[in-house]
Amino acid sequence: MRIGILGGTFDPIHRGHLRLAEEARKKLLLDRVFFVPAYLAPNKAGISDKITPAGIRYAMVFAAVRKYPSFKVLDVEIRKKRKVFTIETLRQLRRKFPGKHEFFLLTGGDNLSILDTWRDVRGIMRLARFVIARRPGYRKERVPPGIVWLPIRSLKVSASKIRTSVKAGRSVRHWVPREVETFIREKGLYRSSGGKGNGL
Ligand code: ATP
């Protein structure tokens, strides 16, 4: 199998993530795409706004991907309840899918300029093809050797923009699947600066 792996904070999952996964699936002929929500985001430690509890972010990803037959959400990282680097997850998935399966680590264009912040890029590249896809607002700079550049019809959307919009009382219907919009509304996510929602 050719397996795409899309890690992220998914706070919340949005159409930009789904577009990235879908375009990568088609262009790289992937059989599966695994969405891997992080418990804490390694690259985002110390950001000011608090992250939504992992169980809620997982539930939103689950709801968003369930209608796509090739997409699946994995709880490998959130189950550990700690910061997990991608290299560790790849090693774990490799043990689960040994042999001929090929891994494609799917990331967005914002990662091109911060590749040096990733733990053990060389190790990652031994276990997977490191794919960086076009993302609006981020220039395609020099693509380092070994990185697969994927020119996709990406969407100009980010989770932070969605959180800001919800807080300001604006609709986010265009940017998230209906199930996720309902989830955000019903749980009262992102309304306050804590971003934790009510009652969960
Ligand atoms: P935030 O705004 O909170 O920083 P985000 O929208 O970047 O969040 P993440 O969950 O951090 O979402 O992203 C997970 C992965 O998806 C990252 O590799 C990121 O580059 C990629 N990604 C996110 N949004 C897009 C998009 N609109 N187009 C392409 N790739 C994207």
Side-chain angles (χ1 to χ4, degrees), residues 6-17 19-20 41 44 47 49 106-111 118 133-136 138 152 154-161 163:
L6 174 52
T9 321
F10 301 117
D11 195 11
I13 185 168
H14 53 65
R15 293 195 194 281
H17 298 127
R19 173 67 65 86
L20 165 60
K44 291 181 186 170
I47 55 165
D49 57 342
L106 309 177
T107 70
D110 45 307
N111 290 288
W118 282 67
R134 178 158 62 208
R135 180 171 185 181
Y138 298 92
I152 60 168
S154 43
L155 293 176
K156 191 167 174 26
V157 55
S158 68
S160 25
K161 178 174 154 182
R163 295 193 299 273

Side-chain angles (χ1 to χ4, degrees), residues 44-172:
K44 291 181 186 170
I47 55 165
S48 54
D49 57 342
K50 285 208 189 70
I51 181 168
T52 303
I56 299 183
R57 290 181 288 110
Y58 176 90
M60 288 194 283
V61 178
F62 182 89
V65 305
R66 62 186 303 185
K67 58 178 178 284
Y68 296 83
S70 335
F71 295 177
K72 193 171 186 292
V73 59
L74 300 186
D75 65 357
V76 273
E77 293 196 2
I78 63 171
R79 219 188 303 141
K80 294 181 180 160
K81 295 197 184 327
R82 61 173 167 81
K83 176 159 138 179
V84 180
F85 289 101
T86 300
I87 183 70
E88 182 182 335
T89 301
L90 285 177
R91 286 196 186 113
Q92 192 174 338
L93 290 176
R94 178 48 81 192
R95 286 193 293 275
K96 219 174 145 194
F97 296 91
K100 284 217 309 248
H101 302 292
E102 269 184 87
F103 287 167
F104 296 80
L105 180 67
L106 309 177
T107 70
D110 45 307
N111 290 288
L112 203 48
S113 61
I114 54 159
L115 255 192
D116 55 335
T117 66
W118 282 67
R119 170 76 60 96
D120 196 1
V121 173
R122 281 171 187 280
I124 290 176
M125 284 165 71
R126 278 193 288 272
L127 293 173
R129 305 298 301 274
F130 200 128
V131 179
I132 301 188
R134 178 158 62 208
R135 180 171 185 181
Y138 298 92
R139 283 212 345 261
K140 179 192 173 195
E141 297 153 31
R142 196 185 66 85
V143 179
I147 298 286
V148 179
W149 173 256
L150 202 63
I152 60 168
R153 292 178 302 122
S154 43
L155 293 176
K156 191 167 174 26
V157 55
S158 68
S160 25
K161 178 174 154 182
I162 291 166
R163 295 193 299 273
T164 308
S165 292
V166 173
K167 197 174 169 192
R170 290 192 294 270
S171 166
V172 293

Side-chain angles (χ1 to χ4, degrees), residues 172-186:
V172 293
R173 209 170 5 151
H174 292 308
W175 305 118
V176 297
R178 184 140 37 96
E179 302 79 359
V180 174
E181 192 212 359
T182 308
F183 215 103
I184 292 173
R185 193 170 3 94
E186 289 181 354

